[in-house]
Amino acid sequence: MKKTFYITTPIYYPSAKFHIGSAYTTCLCDSVTRYKKLQGYDTRFLTGTDEHGQKIEEAAKANGKTPQEHVDYISGLAQDLWKQLSIENDDFIRTTQKRHEVVVEDIFERLLANDDIYLGEYVGNYCVSCESYFTPTQLVDGDKCPDCGRPTKLLKEETYFLRLSKYADRLLAFIDSHPDFIFPETRKNEVVSFIKSGLQDLSVSRTAFSWGIKVKSNPKHVVYVWIDALSNYITALGYDSKDDSLYQKFWINGDEVIHVVGKDILRFHAIYWPIMLMALDIPIKFRLYAHGWYLMKDGKMAKSKGNVIYPEQLVERYGLDAFRYYIVREIQYGNDGLFTPEDYIKRINTDLVNDYGNLVSRTISMVNKYFGGTVQKTVHNHSLLSFEQNLEEVATESIKQYQTLMDEFKIADALKALSTLVGRTNKLIDDTSPWDLAKNEETHAPLQSVMYHLLESIRLITVLYQPFLMETCPKVFGYLNVEENNTDFESLKFGVKENYEVVSKAAHLFPRLEEESESEVIRSWMNEPKKEEPKIDPILPEITIDDFAKIDIRSGKVLEAIQHPNADKLLVMKVDTGDKVRNIVSGIAKYYKPEDMVGKTVLVIANLKPVKLRGELSEGMILAAENAAGELFIVEGSSKLNPGSKIS
Ligand code: ME8
């Protein structure tokens, strides 16, 4: 019987049109699934949309739609996009589907009945965007969310809690006894230290909004969006339904289950999800692969920054295969990668146009020119044998490496190993100068052997490119008349195909791109004028001059600044405010380097109650404001002001 392989992407929030970030995860999963199919696995690939929660409710409102209309629209766009990208998912789950909702209702009730969920009260600062509560020590700059930097709201609500603390030891033991549970290793260490720092019970219901799955026994509560979302991995398999055959096959009796997630949502998958499964008495069958992000030169992609890039435009102009290749090739496994228009064009020109595309067209034209398109495998001895043997060795080694790396999910490295073989094959042409061999009748046999080696190597390369270049590989097999049984992984050996009869003329696989002008085209998409009007925060209710007098704003001079040791977003500064030198922590690290700050005259709220931010005392707040593009600027005072000058 075939081994099974079940792979999932996160289910994406349909808050806005998907950019290349979501496409990255989905293409990664699709390519791995295609690879596993070639290896003979029985595969199942799930993706979908996470359609509940306050964020969606608010996005719908902003677009003048009901939440259902909004998610129907965006989820439809997502499904169209995956079709355009040739994603071969077996199922697409939407959390607003009945098949999912009824099971989540039931899961919640069972956890409640087992006392793994209990009713309590939560008081804390809530970030709508991240749908999470934060403790005062986690907040930055007073009330800002430590994850996204947006202001939080102080909320007090009755809520259900999931007993995370009860399962902490069992989870640590599980991670310890399953060394492959989380990849890469560094992410696993983060998770372990997070658990060891102490798990608080998790608030798993909300009453402040209604767009969600209602708690059956207490419908004024809706189920927390992450409990709802994480369940998709089993509800989509028919868990707890009339027909649970897929659940039995791919989860309970399955051989491999992989959840692929971005590093941003690792904690939910590595802690909450396994604990839910333990509490439900379901085996933890999955392994987690956490990948890095596609970043832009100015940080994360954001519509408001005008730096978003969408897959559709790239596919329409440069082709499907170029996009699918680039997107999984550019990011080293686990790391972040930078998207730049120049790199996009260069990557296509180098790997696909120059190396692979040229190899195929040069070889086909030589085989036609020297042998009328037909070449046999020949066994003989000649002076060029060592070059051919070396190519065979490189091929064997590259195939092995490619498979090992693909199995470890190191897709970019696997493609790099394949590039080595492409390079070595091109080098055989340089080493042997076929045009010289062709001049002489005696070197006719060696020439045929060289041509055969080129063709056989192209066949192997093309077999291995199949999970990535879905339009090109069938074309190349067609040009070379490769029979179907010589396109699978069983045929991955040099010398398997005996004869070649190639087409008389082959169109170029990838047209060469003009680097400067094409980079400019992509840049113009990224800087599309923003259609939305900049939003102005509403003016707060009136205050009196006495209210204002309570806020003591002073000018201060920044004497020193360093990066906060435990928080990427924070700088820790020493600021002279006349009365003393204060320690001030500020969430500006994304916009200002420590050295940018030293010497600046800033405005400080000097009588704000000191707080500790990620362990560092902050004795005041520096004034700053965001522009319409979401960039943050500190409000600078005149350098002529002495430290301590009162602002009034
Ligand atoms: O978190 N680079 O949904 P989401 C790489 N609904 N990957 C990126 C990316 C980028 N710039 N931006 C997004 C959610 N991603 C939840 C998931 S699962 C039970 C619930 C990818 O729409 C990456 O995989 O915010 C990330 O984890 C995912 O999109 C988050 O998508």
Side-chain angles (χ1 to χ4, degrees), residues 232-417:
N232 94 88
Y233 300 129
I234 52 174
T235 61
L237 292 177
Y239 164 76
D240 200 17
S241 74
K242 256 193 240 137
D243 178 5
D244 73 347
S245 52
L246 289 173
Y247 171 67
Q248 293 299 337
K249 176 175 171 184
F250 286 100
W251 194 277
I252 295 295
N253 302 310
D255 295 294
E256 285 185 53
V257 179
I258 309 281
H259 295 324
V260 180
V261 297
K263 61 180 183 180
D264 46 328
I265 55 173
L266 177 64
R267 197 184 341 136
F268 300 94
H269 285 82
I271 299 176
Y272 305 162
W273 181 222
I275 287 181
M276 280 173 67
L277 292 173
M278 283 180 199
L280 290 165
D281 215 8
I282 296 174
I284 303 169
K285 295 290 295 216
F286 68 90
R287 284 185 290 147
L288 273 176
Y289 283 84
H291 65 67
W293 281 337
Y294 261 105
L295 297 176
M296 310 307 265
K297 273 192 179 137
D298 49 354
K300 265 197 106 173
M301 264 178 279
K303 250 188 168 179
S304 55
K305 285 191 197 164
N307 68 357
V308 179
I309 184 90
Y310 296 105
E312 291 92 336
Q313 292 164 308
L314 293 169
V315 171
E316 274 152 27
R317 190 165 177 98
Y318 307 110
L320 174 69
D321 286 4
F323 177 79
R324 292 278 316 240
Y325 180 82
Y326 168 87
I327 197 88
V328 296
R329 173 66 185 82
E330 206 63 17
I331 291 194
Q332 290 293 107
Y333 185 68
N335 295 349
D336 290 338
L338 201 62
F339 176 93
T340 70
E342 295 77 12
D343 289 344
Y344 188 81
I345 303 297
K346 254 190 219 139
R347 175 64 70 195
I348 298 172
N349 271 347
T350 310
D351 293 11
L352 300 180
V353 181
N354 292 356
D355 294 353
Y356 180 54
N358 251 351
L359 172 66
V360 173
S361 51
R362 280 164 93 190
T363 302
I364 289 175
S365 89
M366 286 191 292
V367 169
N368 275 300
K369 191 165 168 197
Y370 306 137
F371 295 98
T374 310
V375 158
Q376 320 278 328
K377 176 174 169 182
T378 45
V379 182
H380 59 89
N381 230 330
H382 61 79
S383 57
L384 304 171
L385 204 59
S386 65
F387 295 122
E388 295 176 350
Q389 275 168 348
N390 179 257
L391 173 65
E392 290 185 29
E393 280 159 24
V394 172
T396 310
E397 186 50 33
S398 297
I399 293 168
K400 208 167 92 199
Q401 271 186 20
Y402 167 99
Q403 290 191 317
T404 310
L405 292 163
M406 286 295 289
D407 288 337
E408 291 171 357
F409 235 80
K410 296 179 179 153
I411 315 297
D413 292 330
L415 285 171
K416 224 156 108 190

Side-chain angles (χ1 to χ4, degrees), residues 552-558 575-580 582 584 600-606 621-623 635-648:
D552 196 342
I553 308 176
R554 302 294 175 118
S555 65
K557 197 170 174 81
V558 182
V575 183
D576 180 1
T577 48
D579 57 331
K580 61 175 179 175
R582 291 165 187 256
I584 297 185
K600 275 200 195 321
T601 300
V602 293
L603 306 186
V604 178
I605 303 187
M621 189 170 109
I622 289 180
L623 297 187
V635 181
E636 285 192 60
S638 161
S639 58
K640 291 190 183 143
L641 289 173
N642 301 327
S645 302
K646 194 166 163 60
I647 314 298
S648 55

Side-chain angles (χ1 to χ4, degrees), residues 92-253:
F92 188 96
I93 185 142
R94 301 182 53 191
T95 54
T96 51
Q97 288 166 336
K98 261 274 151 302
R99 61 165 172 161
H100 173 79
E101 291 189 338
V102 292
V103 181
V104 172
E105 275 173 11
D106 193 46
I107 286 177
F108 198 95
E109 290 304 315
R110 259 187 298 146
L111 293 173
L112 201 54
N114 292 344
D115 193 39
D116 283 309
I117 285 181
Y118 61 93
L119 191 60
E121 190 176 74
Y122 203 102
V123 184
N125 284 68
Y126 187 70
C127 174
V128 172
S129 176
C130 299
E131 311 244 1
S132 295
Y133 275 108
F134 294 98
T135 58
T137 51
Q138 290 173 317
L139 297 172
V140 292
D141 269 359
D143 70 341
K144 301 250 168 65
C145 168
D147 286 344
C148 72
R150 294 186 177 88
T152 56
K153 290 182 193 162
L154 185 66
L155 289 182
K156 178 173 163 183
E157 60 174 349
E158 181 189 86
T159 183
Y160 287 96
F161 287 97
L162 175 66
R163 294 190 198 278
L164 293 187
S165 43
K166 175 175 157 189
Y167 290 96
D169 289 342
R170 255 177 81 183
L171 181 57
L172 283 173
F174 177 85
I175 295 174
D176 195 44
S177 59
H178 295 79
D180 293 346
F181 179 50
I182 303 169
F183 264 22
E185 187 82 13
T186 47
R187 299 280 169 216
K188 174 170 118 182
N189 301 340
E190 275 171 31
V191 169
V192 169
S193 57
F194 188 87
I195 303 170
K196 285 190 173 157
S197 72
L199 291 184
Q200 312 263 350
D201 289 350
L202 178 71
S203 157
V204 289
S205 73
R206 301 284 184 265
T207 49
F209 60 91
S210 60
W211 182 240
I213 301 178
K214 304 244 178 314
V215 173
K216 218 172 172 178
S217 53
N218 188 358
K220 73 171 188 219
H221 288 258
V222 298
V223 175
Y224 174 44
V225 70
W226 274 99
I227 298 287
D228 172 353
L230 290 162
S231 310
N232 94 88
Y233 300 129
I234 52 174
T235 61
L237 292 177
Y239 164 76
D240 200 17
S241 74
K242 256 193 240 137
D243 178 5
D244 73 347
S245 52
L246 289 173
Y247 171 67
Q248 293 299 337
K249 176 175 171 184
F250 286 100
W251 194 277
I252 295 295
N253 302 310

